[in-house]
């Protein structure tokens, strides 16, 4: 089953209606243009929750240790790395948010 989200198409594998509701709330913005089609950094927006979702490379322990000195990390939080070339996608998120 293919679901059309606000700004992209999401493919729904077998799942529950709750998963379908979540998928429909997310709008796919794009992926890192510098990587292959799979396993690459990506950006989504959730219009209902007014949030941005990032998929990126997990930060190593040394990087996380430096980051938490500026902003302590909750158990439910994580630090990911995104390449500079994704700035344009992040600007699209800003434009979408300002249009909401």
């Amino acid at each position: 089953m293919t679901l059309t989200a606000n700004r992209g198409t999401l493919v729904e594998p077998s799942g529950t209606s709750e998963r379908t509701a979540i998928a429909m709330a997310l709008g796919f913005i794009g992926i890192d243009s510098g990587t292959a089609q799979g396993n690459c950094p990506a950006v989504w927006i959730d219009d209902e929750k007014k949030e941005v979702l990032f998929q990126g490379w997990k930060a190593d322990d040394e990087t996380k240790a430096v980051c938490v000195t500026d902003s302590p990390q909750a158990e439910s939080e994580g630090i990911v790395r995104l390449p500079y070339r994704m700035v344009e996608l992040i600007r699209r998120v800003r434009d979408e948010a300002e249009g909401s």
Side-chain angles (χ1 to χ4, degrees):
M1 170 184 218
T2 300
L3 300 172
T4 302
N6 293 336
R7 284 153 203 86
T9 301
L10 301 170
V11 177
E12 166 87 21
S14 60
T16 65
S17 59
E18 179 181 342
R19 178 170 167 73
T20 300
I22 291 169
M24 292 176 70
L26 297 181
F28 181 69
I29 298 298
I31 62 171
D32 175 14
S33 62
T35 58
Q37 290 295 322
N39 303 320
C40 53
V43 181
W44 296 263
I45 60 172
D46 184 333
D47 281 333
E48 290 180 15
K49 292 185 177 183
K50 305 293 186 212
E51 295 175 343
V52 181
L53 293 89
F54 294 102
Q55 174 179 304
W57 301 296
K58 292 180 181 179
D60 60 38
D61 290 337
E62 183 179 347
T63 301
K64 289 189 274 187
V66 171
C67 292
V68 300
T69 63
D70 294 319
S71 177
Q73 190 176 48
E75 187 69 30
S76 62
E77 296 177 330
I79 297 170
V80 297
R81 291 182 170 274
L82 301 173
Y84 277 162
R85 63 183 168 262
M86 290 189 68
V87 167
E88 186 57 38
L89 291 177
I90 297 167
R91 287 183 182 127
R92 285 180 52 195
V93 169
R94 179 203 57 207
D95 295 344
E96 291 285 338
E98 288 175 351
S100 297

